[in-house]
Amino acid sequence: MARQSELADLTVGLLPLPDETLFSWCSRYHRLAANGLDRTTCLQLFGHHRAGTAHDFPARVGELAARADGKLGTTTEIIEQRTLLPYYLPFRPSHLGHEAVQALSGGGIGHLKYRLGLQTSGLGAAHPLKSCRVCIQADLDRYGWAYWHRAHQWPGVWICPQHRQPLWISPQKLNQLARFAWELPSPDARGSVACLGGVATESDHVEWLLKLAAMCAALPSNAAGSFDDPYRIGLIFRQRIAGLGMCTASGHVRWDMVDPVLRQLADRLGVLPELSHQADPLLLRSQLLRLLSGRSLSHPLRILVWMATWFDDFGEFRHAYAALEGPVGELDQTAGNVPSRPPMGPAVWQQSVLRDAIENRISLTAAARQAQVTYATMAAWASAAAIELPRRPQKLHAPIWEAIVEQLRQGADKDAVASTFGVAIVTVTRVLRTVTGLQDQWHTVRHARRRAHARSTWARIKGLHAYMGLKALRRMEPAAYAWLYRNDRNWLDASARDVPRLGATNHAPIRIENADARMALALYKLAVQYPKVQSWRLEVLRNSMPRIDRAIRAPERWPQTIKALNFILGRLEENP
């Protein structure tokens, strides 16, 4: 047969080994099939010469599941049991988890790593292949194969939980020349990690790394969206620190007691390869403040590190999360709604105190003291429960108060409001949080305003420069494109469908099809947009047409074409 990839009715009968990754199974199949080229195996398994070779987030898993005829399980089972995706989903919304599974099932993952926060986390998006030298020999003796264990591949796992040995790394998938190759671990390929070289097997660092590895291994067993509320996570850690006596009665952190813990954590992070460059107590203090304030962290490993610092095991954190009843902000991408941003909700034991304050059995000040929070926090909780609080004005009398509320309802910036009325920004924030429904309305108005601005900006450049292609449009207005991509993706995709795709080949100039027709359409849109064009404006268009026509036929004159169109638009806007 001329090509191995053209085998008809190909069936896969190789069963996976315990805790084996999908990449490892494909590499074993490649050895057994005796295919000369890596792309041949990829074509046989995934129907594509490259898609599917990624060892962390492979694509076209649905095609592999169909060709394997159930030997590896369903598409969802393969993704959940053989890839690294489940590690990143519990702290993300459930809808993102569903979209991620669909991406791995389909033809490509696209911008999935960006959406999961890997590329903006400061930890990198790469996952080096790791193996244990003792496991390699044991697998060879038992199965005849040395294979990649998924338990070794989780970020943050650098000590083999079974043999307490530092893991080796393989340079194969980090080398761009071999990133599409099928590889298996070898006892001869030793790639030690520098920061783990001097760690003794029975040292405190190894015990901490094993504890962190156990939490990393327990995380993927939780469903997508299980811990996607950063407010609740921040409250859990704040309560944990307060339970250890490291907070004041008003809820402030006692840094004289927390700083020794941060110094110990910095020492431990020195042997963790992903975070060894951030082993600084001052940096850890700012990260802890971010965590306690209810702001999400971009990478699960950062949360797991703090979890290993303040909790004994993952089950303890999961129980504390389930015991809270906090709000979860949901973002409806299809409707374009802005997510609500409520303050951190009260814990179960604080809810009874809040109820007493709402029913006027105790004052709000006494309730804040009993709940061990500030008065502002208790007032925000009461406002979230649609309770109008009595005001005792000192500086903000009724007219000023009502004017500030009215400007905030219109979506004004807090610093602008503070400057207008001569008050502090914290005062404006207090008004925003204590007036019932004001904060949600403020965010909704600002979100709608930002969306309208981004849409109009994108529509303007697309109407004039669509012939340049999508990539060039993105470079012209990167901020508008990025905002629409993150917050209004459906509208952006619909708007980009009529943008021509510019095809390029090696050593060949870029070709633009129907450039004359697109330029004529742009001028026609200008005429439609300004129907009351006077004779002198028509003369501007008529005089510019030869210049534009010459520029169309010469790619090197495209900048002049853009300048001419901008000139026409500017002249027309002078007297609309």
Side-chain angles (χ1 to χ4, degrees):
M1 188 169 291
R3 295 181 61 184
Q4 291 174 309
S5 59
E6 297 176 355
L7 291 173
D9 301 327
L10 176 66
T11 59
V12 179
L14 183 64
L15 295 178
L17 296 174
D19 194 40
E20 185 176 20
T21 65
L22 180 61
F23 175 78
S24 177
W25 180 90
C26 294
S27 299
R28 289 199 299 124
Y29 174 86
H30 176 69
R31 296 270 183 98
L32 287 176
N35 290 327
L37 298 176
D38 297 301
R39 58 179 293 154
T40 302
T41 298
C42 196
L43 281 167
Q44 290 177 354
L45 296 179
F46 297 94
H48 191 273
H49 68 285
R50 282 187 176 179
T53 56
H55 65 288
D56 47 6
F57 296 161
R60 300 181 67 88
V61 179
E63 182 69 21
L64 173 65
R67 298 190 178 204
D69 194 25
K71 297 295 189 302
L72 296 174
T74 65
T75 302
T76 304
E77 290 174 347
I78 295 175
I79 294 174
E80 292 179 351
Q81 300 173 10
R82 306 292 171 190
T83 71
L84 301 187
L85 179 63
Y87 181 88
Y88 294 96
L89 300 184
F91 293 107
R92 295 296 177 182
S94 55
H95 71 85
L96 179 57
H98 176 73
E99 295 171 5
V101 172
Q102 294 297 321
L104 267 65
S105 304
I109 65 172
H111 302 284
L112 179 60
K113 288 190 175 182
Y114 174 80
R115 298 185 65 192
L116 291 175
L118 274 69
Q119 295 176 328
T120 57
S121 64
L123 276 68
H127 299 90
L129 287 166
K130 296 175 285 187
S131 61
C132 170
R133 58 185 178 86
V134 181
C135 289
I136 291 176
Q137 190 59 47
D139 293 339
L140 289 173
D141 296 339
R142 184 172 183 179
Y143 303 108
W145 291 97
Y147 64 94
W148 303 109
H149 292 252
R150 194 171 71 145
H152 295 158
Q153 311 309 320
W154 304 124
V157 176
W158 291 94
I159 300 293
C160 177
Q162 184 178 359
H163 302 108
R164 301 175 63 91
Q165 294 292 326
L167 298 179
W168 294 344
I169 61 172
S170 172
Q172 293 300 328
K173 283 297 179 176
L174 300 178
N175 186 348
Q176 294 296 314
L177 298 177
R179 64 191 182 113
F180 299 112
W182 303 110
E183 296 291 339
L184 288 173
S186 170
D188 299 328
R190 300 188 178 186
S192 60
V193 184
C195 60
L196 294 175
V199 178
T201 307
E202 302 298 331
S203 65
D204 176 69
H205 288 99
V206 170
E207 295 298 330
W208 184 80
L209 288 174
L210 286 172
K211 178 182 179 180
L212 179 62
M215 292 186 171
C216 293
L219 177 62
S221 61
N222 298 274
S226 298
F227 314 107
D228 65 337
D229 189 352
Y231 299 102
R232 195 181 306 181
I233 294 176
L235 183 57
I236 289 172
F237 280 95
R238 182 173 288 276
Q239 289 181 354
R240 186 67 174 181
I241 294 176
L244 297 174
M246 297 183 179
C247 285
T248 63
S250 59
H252 293 86
V253 178
R254 297 182 183 271
W255 291 110
D256 57 334
M257 302 178 66
V258 174
D259 283 339
V261 179
L262 298 183
R263 287 193 293 269
Q264 183 185 38
L265 177 58
D267 180 61
R268 290 171 171 174
L269 290 182
V271 298
L272 185 62
E274 291 98 340
L275 290 170
S276 59
H277 63 291
Q278 296 184 359
D280 180 22
L282 294 178
L283 182 61
L284 292 176
R285 175 187 280 209
S286 64
Q287 292 179 2
L288 179 60
L289 284 174
R290 179 182 178 88
L291 180 67
L292 297 179
S293 63
R295 290 179 289 174
S296 61
L297 301 181
S298 56
H299 200 286
L301 182 57
R302 294 189 182 275
I303 303 179
L304 290 170
V305 165
W306 290 112
M307 200 183 302
T309 303
W310 301 108
F311 291 88
D312 294 333
D313 53 38
F314 192 89
E316 188 179 8
F317 170 82
R318 181 167 49 221
H319 177 74
Y321 189 91
L324 288 180
E325 297 179 2
V328 181
E330 293 291 343
L331 175 60
D332 185 358
Q333 292 282 4
T334 58
N337 296 330
V338 64
S340 61
R341 298 191 181 185
M344 290 185 293
V348 176
W349 66 277
Q350 293 170 324
Q351 290 178 2
S352 60
V353 180
L354 176 62
R355 193 177 303 109
D356 292 339
I358 291 175
E359 296 175 358
N360 293 324
R361 286 195 288 266
I362 58 176
S363 67
L364 210 62
T365 303
R369 189 179 301 110
Q370 292 183 23
Q372 299 181 3
V373 296
T374 62
Y375 177 86
T377 300
M378 183 60 67
W381 288 349
S383 176
I387 302 300
E388 289 289 343
L389 302 176
R391 292 197 312 108
R392 293 172 293 180
Q394 296 176 355
K395 294 183 179 180
L396 298 184
H397 297 281
I400 300 178
W401 175 278
E402 293 173 358
I404 291 177
V405 171
E406 182 60 29
Q407 288 204 13
L408 291 175
R409 290 192 191 279
Q410 298 175 5
D413 291 333
K414 290 193 293 184
D415 53 352
V417 175
S419 176
T420 301
F421 295 96
V423 296
I425 294 181
V426 66
T427 303
V428 180
T429 303
R430 187 180 300 114
V431 174
L432 194 64
R433 296 181 64 191
T434 55
V435 175
T436 302
L438 180 59
Q439 189 173 24
D440 287 342
Q441 185 177 359
W442 185 72
H443 283 298
T444 301
V445 172
R446 291 178 64 83
H447 182 85
R449 184 183 301 168
R450 184 67 181 88
R451 180 178 59 195
H453 175 72
R455 284 184 176 184
S456 63
T457 301
W458 180 255
R460 176 176 57 81
I461 65 170
K462 195 194 76 168
L464 289 176
H465 312 301
Y467 61 91
M468 298 176 61
L470 184 61
K471 187 175 182 180
L473 293 179
R474 288 173 55 185
R475 291 178 177 176
M476 293 180 66
E477 289 291 346
Y481 181 86
W483 193 95
L484 291 171
Y485 184 88
R486 297 171 184 171
N487 302 279
D488 203 2
R489 181 71 178 276
N490 293 335
W491 184 90
L492 179 63
D493 291 342
S495 176
R497 289 194 186 102
D498 57 347
V499 177
R501 306 293 178 179
L502 306 184
T505 57
N506 292 335
H507 309 292
I510 297 177
R511 291 186 174 184
I512 300 182
E513 299 178 357
N514 301 324
D516 294 327
R518 284 195 299 274
M519 186 64 68
L521 180 61
L523 295 175
Y524 174 76
K525 288 181 178 179
L526 285 176
V528 172
Q529 186 176 2
Y530 300 94
K532 298 180 180 180
V533 179
Q534 299 175 1
S535 59
W536 70 270
R537 295 197 185 95
L538 289 175
E539 189 66 23
V540 171
L541 290 175
R542 190 179 298 110
N543 294 337
S544 301
M545 284 304 298
R547 176 184 176 186
I548 296 173
D549 186 67
R550 289 193 303 270
I552 291 174
R553 291 169 171 79
E556 63 274 8
R557 295 183 61 86
W558 288 341
Q560 286 83 348
T561 305
I562 298 172
K563 184 177 180 180
L565 285 175
N566 288 330
F567 170 76
I568 294 171
L569 183 60
R571 293 295 301 272
L572 292 177
E573 288 179 345
E574 289 179 359
N575 296 302

